[in-house]
Amino acid sequence: FQKHEFFVEMTCEGCSNAVTRVLEKLGGVSFDIDLPNKKVCIDSEHSIDTLLETLKKTGKNTSYLGEKSAQ
């Protein structure tokens, strides 16, 4: 799987919970939410477009930052 990094305008726990909800609903993803830096790193087979559309369902400002290189 490719790791993708997204920017999501999250300001609180509620925001990150919303992100968790939409991603779990989508399924087939494992992800890390970095609330202080407003980043979501997603490990998935889904296309970037699908992931972006899913994240946008939270109503937050969202953008694709790029592939995260495996550390």
Side-chain angles (χ1 to χ4, degrees), residues 28-41:
V29 294
S30 65
F31 57 93
D32 290 305
I33 296 175
D34 180 348
L35 189 53
N37 294 312
K38 305 184 192 306
K39 284 182 187 171
V40 181
C41 182

Side-chain angles (χ1 to χ4, degrees), residues 7-8 10 13-14 17-19 21 23 26 33-34 40-42 44 47-48 50 53-54 56 58 60 63 65-67:
F7 166 83
V8 182
M10 299 177 288
E13 202 63 36
N17 289 343
V19 170
R21 271 199 307 277
L23 288 174
L26 177 65
I33 296 175
D34 180 348
V40 181
C41 182
I42 306 175
S44 168
S47 71
I48 293 159
T50 300
E53 283 309 307
T54 301
K56 283 183 175 167
T58 60
K60 312 272 172 235
S63 58
L65 296 174
E67 287 180 8

Side-chain angles (χ1 to χ4, degrees), residues 1-26:
F1 288 171
Q2 192 61 55
K3 272 193 181 307
H4 298 294
E5 209 167 29
F6 294 87
F7 166 83
V8 182
E9 189 67 65
M10 299 177 288
T11 50
C12 63
E13 202 63 36
C15 300
S16 61
N17 289 343
V19 170
T20 300
R21 271 199 307 277
V22 295
L23 288 174
E24 284 179 346
K25 208 165 168 185
L26 177 65

